[in-house]
Amino acid sequence: GRLNYTLDDKYLFTVSFRRDGSSRYSTSNKWSNFPSAAIAWRLSNEDFFHASRALSDLKLRASYGATGSTAISPYQTLNRLFSGNVIFGDQLYVALAPGTTLPGNLKWETTNQFDAGLDASLLNSRLRFSADFYVKRTKNLLNTVQLPASMGYQSTLQNVGEIENRGMEFAVDADVFKGDFNWTVSGNISFNKNKVLKLYEGQDIYGQNIYTGSLNDYVNLLREGQPLGIFYGYKEKGYTATGNIEYQDLVPDGVIKPDDKTYIGDPNPDFIYGFNSVASYKGFELTLFIQGSQGNDIFNLNKSATLDLGMGLNLPQEVYYNHWTTQKTNTAYPKITRSLSGNMSNRFVEDGSYLRFKNIQVAYNLPLQTMKAKWMKSAQVYVSGQNLITITNYSWYDPEINAYGGGNSITQGIDYFTYPASKSVTVGIRCTF
């Protein structure tokens, strides 16, 4: 249900209420309530703004509301059976047995968000601007939790805690030129900081365990007071006298163990941004779309398998020329061996910032009136290129990656033989009849 009320086209009020149910949740938690409310004040309709020629429209707004998430697979709260084959005597039978995931008693993952912002139009609406500040808290956060082997199950899905996101978003649109030459541009930028506020019994939640052949450990972590999914591992201090990787003994006892792990990176960007431009002149059009991310780290596991810890198999030329030997110890790579042990460490953390030209298109609209083609409404010939240019310091194929998990997973920012976004050039014709 929703109720809208507007007074004098100046004061706007909205109240809404949702009651959602999902069979994906436990029997006693299938339903939950999600109310919201919003207010807005259009200052540009007030008498004291009538004298302003530059400002076409100005509106202040604020809202608060709750939303629920069903971003879990069906049957997570049920003890599911999976089929398999088993032999009794000399016969093969189909058997059913519990899976590897322990069913959880799940509640709705609920996000409460406050937002305050303004919308403005200037110069007869040729320049449009909006700004938002938000605080978003998610409680009953759903995530996969690893279980000890003694449980008989590998993992379970639980409501593990509460996280907070704070940020600002800005967007601007402008009609720069109008007439024979038209040029419209738009841009946006978003800043976000997140923090884990609360976890079940204050316990850390580990990301997915990753096995590469030479490495076998988790690297992402949920910990109270820290950003979501931070990289957690060992810090290196160089090489041993025999060419192996040496790690910092942060708990000084002469032994490298899990207590020596620390924060080594953050997959969360400081900000993301986008820019779009459309220019046209006498039938010709140039469209440009740029997108980017700044300040995020990538855990480049490709290096573990092909450069540093590749077990001496099929290594690139740069390793051959820059690996540790008894005569050359200040090198980028350890000694070449088939038995080198390693750990998840800051060796694999790289800056994942990038700027990418997602789309560049040149088009020409055919002059149908001159051609006397009345049977056709419009026709356009175009050439477009996708992902042709990427500016980044990341050493591997593609900085826009996520090898593990979806948006709700804490295993973020890992590149492990992820297939890169393809570069493509398209030539085509668009016709309307």
Side-chain angles (χ1 to χ4, degrees):
R2 181 173 61 194
L3 174 65
N4 295 318
Y5 180 73
T6 303
L7 178 62
D8 291 337
D9 201 26
K10 302 175 185 177
Y11 315 105
L12 301 90
F13 305 89
T14 301
V15 177
S16 65
F17 177 82
R18 291 180 62 96
R19 178 168 171 81
D20 289 314
S22 173
S23 60
R24 301 186 181 199
Y25 289 99
S26 304
T27 303
S28 59
N29 298 310
K30 290 186 183 299
W31 292 89
S32 192
N33 303 322
F34 304 103
S36 67
I39 59 174
W41 178 23
R42 181 167 280 117
L43 285 84
S44 53
N45 286 355
E46 297 286 356
D47 294 337
F48 55 80
F49 259 92
H50 286 174
S52 175
R53 296 182 180 180
L55 193 62
S56 308
D57 185 48
L58 178 63
K59 182 172 69 174
L60 299 178
R61 48 186 167 76
S63 62
Y64 183 84
T67 57
S69 171
T70 56
I72 57 175
S73 302
Y75 317 120
Q76 295 291 316
T77 61
L78 301 179
N79 190 8
R80 294 176 293 171
L81 299 177
F82 295 85
S83 62
N85 295 325
V86 63
I87 296 176
F88 284 104
D90 58 354
Q91 297 294 319
L92 181 66
Y93 294 89
V94 175
L96 295 173
T100 60
T101 302
L102 178 69
N105 183 25
L106 304 179
K107 301 178 182 178
W108 276 81
E109 181 180 288
T110 303
T111 298
N112 296 281
Q113 178 169 334
F114 167 78
D115 184 279
L118 67 87
D119 301 311
S121 296
L122 297 88
L123 306 175
N124 292 322
S125 298
R126 291 187 62 175
L127 178 62
R128 302 165 294 279
F129 174 79
S130 66
D132 287 88
F133 168 77
Y134 63 87
V135 178
K136 183 165 61 174
R137 289 194 176 187
T138 301
K139 63 179 181 180
N140 295 324
L141 179 69
L142 289 164
N143 214 290
T144 301
V145 177
Q146 300 294 319
L147 297 174
S150 59
M151 289 284 294
Y153 294 91
Q154 294 180 0
S155 63
T156 184
L157 190 66
Q158 290 184 359
N159 297 108
V160 298
E162 184 176 344
I163 63 171
E164 179 186 80
N165 284 272
R166 290 176 176 264
M168 294 181 293
E169 297 178 346
F170 303 94
V172 61
D173 299 270
D175 300 321
V176 183
F177 294 106
K178 286 186 175 182
D180 289 340
F181 176 61
N182 282 282
W183 185 24
T184 301
V185 297
S186 62
N188 62 79
I189 186 168
S190 300
F191 302 84
N192 184 78
K193 292 293 184 183
N194 63 51
K195 182 170 66 172
V196 179
L197 301 179
K198 182 180 179 182
L199 291 175
Y200 179 70
E201 296 183 348
Q203 298 178 0
D204 293 342
I205 303 296
Y206 307 129
Q208 179 178 339
N209 199 80
I210 301 170
Y211 176 69
T212 69
S214 54
L215 298 174
N216 186 15
D217 203 354
Y218 69 91
V219 68
N220 295 97
L221 178 72
L222 278 184
R223 174 171 288 177
E224 289 185 356
Q226 296 297 324
L228 185 71
I230 56 170
F231 296 149
Y232 193 69
Y234 298 92
K235 282 191 173 182
E236 297 185 11
K237 58 184 297 186
Y239 300 120
T240 66
T242 56
N244 290 324
I245 301 172
E246 186 174 11
Y247 302 97
Q248 293 184 14
D249 188 9
L250 300 181
V251 180
D253 56 6
V255 180
I256 300 299
K257 56 184 184 301
D259 290 344
D260 296 310
K261 289 185 176 182
T262 187
Y263 311 122
I264 56 175
D266 186 352
N268 302 289
D270 295 330
F271 59 89
I272 57 176
Y273 56 92
F275 174 79
N276 193 62
S277 171
V278 179
S280 61
Y281 179 70
K282 292 186 177 181
F284 289 94
E285 289 185 3
L286 174 62
T287 303
L288 177 66
F289 175 48
I290 300 174
Q291 180 254 334
S293 176
Q294 184 67 37
N296 59 296
D297 292 322
I298 294 177
F299 201 81
N300 186 1
L301 272 178
N302 308 295
K303 294 173 62 176
S304 72
T306 60
L307 296 176
D308 300 312
L309 305 173
M311 297 181 289
L313 301 174
N314 199 26
L315 300 178
Q317 178 175 290
E318 62 182 287
V319 179
Y320 176 78
Y321 287 113
N322 200 12
H323 71 274
W324 186 95
T325 66
T326 53
Q327 293 80 27
K328 187 173 60 175
T329 58
N330 187 21
T331 59
Y333 304 105
K335 69 177 181 181
I336 297 177
T337 174
R338 295 202 61 185
S339 59
L340 181 63
S341 61
N343 292 297
M344 301 291 191
S345 69
N346 59 323
R347 167 176 292 267
F348 309 113
V349 177
E350 297 187 37
D351 180 15
S353 304
Y354 70 91
L355 182 152
R356 169 168 284 170
F357 288 74
K358 298 286 287 186
N359 185 58
I360 304 172
Q361 177 177 289
V362 178
Y364 178 65
N365 297 298
L366 299 178
L368 299 180
Q369 292 183 347
T370 303
M371 298 169 61
K372 297 182 180 181
K374 296 181 179 180
W375 50 275
M376 189 178 294
K377 187 176 181 180
S378 65
Q380 184 187 72
V381 181
Y382 69 91
V383 179
S384 65
Q386 292 77 41
N387 305 316
L388 295 184
I389 303 173
T390 301
I391 301 172
T392 182
N393 290 323
Y394 183 54
S395 65
W396 214 253
Y397 295 122
D398 190 353
E400 194 177 1
I401 53 84
N402 183 25
Y404 295 92
N408 287 333
S409 173
I410 65 172
T411 306
Q412 299 287 332
I414 297 177
D415 187 7
Y416 187 43
F417 295 119
T418 308
Y419 198 82
S422 60
K423 297 181 179 181
S424 61
V425 176
T426 306
V427 180
I429 301 175
R430 297 188 184 97
C431 298
T432 304
F433 300 95

